[in-house]
Amino acid sequence: MSLSDWERRALAEMEQELRREDPPFAHRIDALNASPCRLSPQRFACQVSACEVVCVFLTVVVLVGLCVLVILTAGTRQAPPPSRIGGPGMATGQPVAPPGARAGTPQPAAPP
């Protein structure tokens, strides 16, 4: 859809007024209009410097190294010491007679 004659005149008047009031801005706009237009999707992409790429790469390497280090050191954990809750016989590994039984008397085996 094209502009009407009235709209074209209004835009031309605004452009002339802008050139009179702010010449540096008008020159920047002219320079942008004169630059070649990129039609690819990259025209909206930000530019990334080589230093930024190297920093991101080094950050990834350090984080992967830390993850590997944590995984490798997590497997070397030792078992906790045995519990002493069972009483005096449990600590030495000797069987404990039930309460009321005489010491040294063999106890009948419990059926399976």
Side-chain angles (χ1 to χ4, degrees):
M1 188 160 99
S2 63
L3 299 174
S4 68
D5 290 335
W6 181 84
E7 290 170 332
R8 285 189 191 125
R9 270 184 268 136
L11 286 174
E13 288 174 10
M14 282 191 255
E15 183 179 349
Q16 287 176 359
E17 188 174 336
L18 172 70
R19 289 187 185 281
R20 268 187 271 123
E21 290 180 4
D22 195 359
F25 179 70
H27 288 299
R28 283 185 293 186
I29 296 298
D30 289 338
L32 285 174
N33 287 336
S35 67
C37 181
R38 292 184 286 182
L39 298 177
S40 68
Q42 292 295 322
R43 67 181 167 176
F44 298 114
C46 63
Q47 301 297 322
V48 179
S49 70
C51 180
E52 292 170 331
V53 172
V54 169
C55 288
V56 168
F57 178 74
L58 289 176
T59 303
V60 169
V61 168
V62 167
L63 289 176
V64 167
L66 285 174
C67 289
V68 168
L69 183 67
V70 166
I71 289 171
L72 291 177
T73 58
T76 60
R77 199 163 79 178
Q78 297 177 354
S83 173
R84 295 183 155 240
I85 297 175
M90 296 296 268
T92 60
Q94 299 172 353
V96 178
R102 293 188 313 203
T105 308
Q107 296 294 325

